[in-house]
Amino acid sequence: MTKPDVYAQLSSEDYKNNFDPVLSRIFMYDSIVKVREELRLALQEGYNKGRIEGLKNAFYNHKSRCVEFGINFESFFLEDFWRWVYDNKKEDTDYLKYIKFVVDELPNSVLANYTYARSAHYRDKNEEAKKYYRKCLELNPAHSNAIKYYNLLMFHENYEIKNYGQ
């Protein structure tokens, strides 16, 4: 399953009034593209002016409009915008802070929790990585990569690896 880039949920009121929110979103496509582009530009400007705090403030200023248009934040942040942040980060820690911001915004996202855990693991923040691998596994107990990397961290924590060749 893949999640849509734009959400359109059918309510009982929509059903009663014979209103199709999906078709409505299709007709709003140009406006949705414009809103996503406005968000992207605002986040870039926010980051350039105030780094992660500036990016957060820019997001909060645009969030309600994006929700109104059904923007899927998980898709936007973790599939579209992450690369810009990674390529334009002023410090290496900014990328990890960005992913943490995404997790804070989307605490029930398996992808956000896994991405943060991997980023923390890669940067040797093992306690943080374990915490978010566990959260990922609470949300999806069958997440094979989270299981693998969590177990790898636990293995290294519980066993001293000795160099017998010297």
Side-chain angles (χ1 to χ4, degrees):
M1 178 187 116
T2 58
K3 295 179 181 178
D5 288 339
V6 177
Y7 292 116
Q9 295 183 350
L10 178 67
S11 69
S12 57
E13 194 66 27
D14 291 339
Y15 184 79
K16 180 179 139 190
N17 294 325
N18 201 28
F19 176 76
D20 185 347
V22 173
L23 194 55
S24 174
R25 291 282 197 253
I26 291 169
F27 289 131
M28 295 170 58
Y29 180 76
D30 291 340
S31 298
I32 292 168
V33 168
K34 183 180 176 192
V35 168
R36 282 178 62 98
E37 181 64 10
E38 288 170 359
L39 177 61
R40 183 184 65 76
L41 292 172
L43 295 181
Q44 289 174 350
E45 182 180 341
Y47 179 78
N48 287 330
K49 287 182 179 176
R51 298 194 29 202
I52 297 301
E53 285 305 313
L55 183 145
K56 288 179 184 180
N57 290 333
F59 173 69
Y60 297 136
N61 289 335
H62 286 78
K63 184 177 180 178
S64 63
R65 183 156 163 80
C66 292
V67 169
E68 177 186 329
F69 280 84
I71 303 295
N72 175 345
F73 293 123
E74 182 180 65
S75 169
F76 179 83
F77 285 126
L78 297 173
E79 294 173 15
D80 299 339
F81 194 69
W82 75 270
R83 187 67 195 194
W84 184 89
V85 175
Y86 188 83
D87 289 343
N88 293 279
K89 63 189 178 300
K90 297 187 187 331
E91 291 183 20
D92 192 47
T93 58
D94 283 353
Y95 181 71
L96 191 62
K97 289 176 185 175
Y98 168 74
I99 299 299
K100 180 65 168 93
F101 156 70
V102 175
V103 168
D104 291 344
E105 281 300 312
L106 307 169
N108 294 318
S109 164
V110 173
L111 181 59
N113 281 281
Y114 177 73
T115 302
Y116 183 71
R118 284 297 294 143
S119 296
H121 190 172
Y122 179 75
R123 288 164 179 79
D124 291 325
K125 297 184 179 299
N126 294 341
E127 291 306 312
E128 193 80 351
K130 285 192 293 188
K131 176 180 174 182
Y132 285 90
Y133 284 134
R134 281 192 303 268
K135 176 67 176 174
C136 180
L137 291 168
E138 287 172 17
L139 297 167
N140 178 5
H143 195 291
S144 60
N145 283 331
I147 293 167
K148 174 175 64 176
Y149 290 117
Y150 178 77
N151 286 337
L152 183 64
L153 280 172
M154 296 308 294
F155 174 78
H156 283 282
E157 180 179 292
N158 292 320
Y159 296 98
E160 181 181 338
I161 298 176
K162 298 177 182 180
N163 186 349
Y164 291 104
Q166 293 183 353

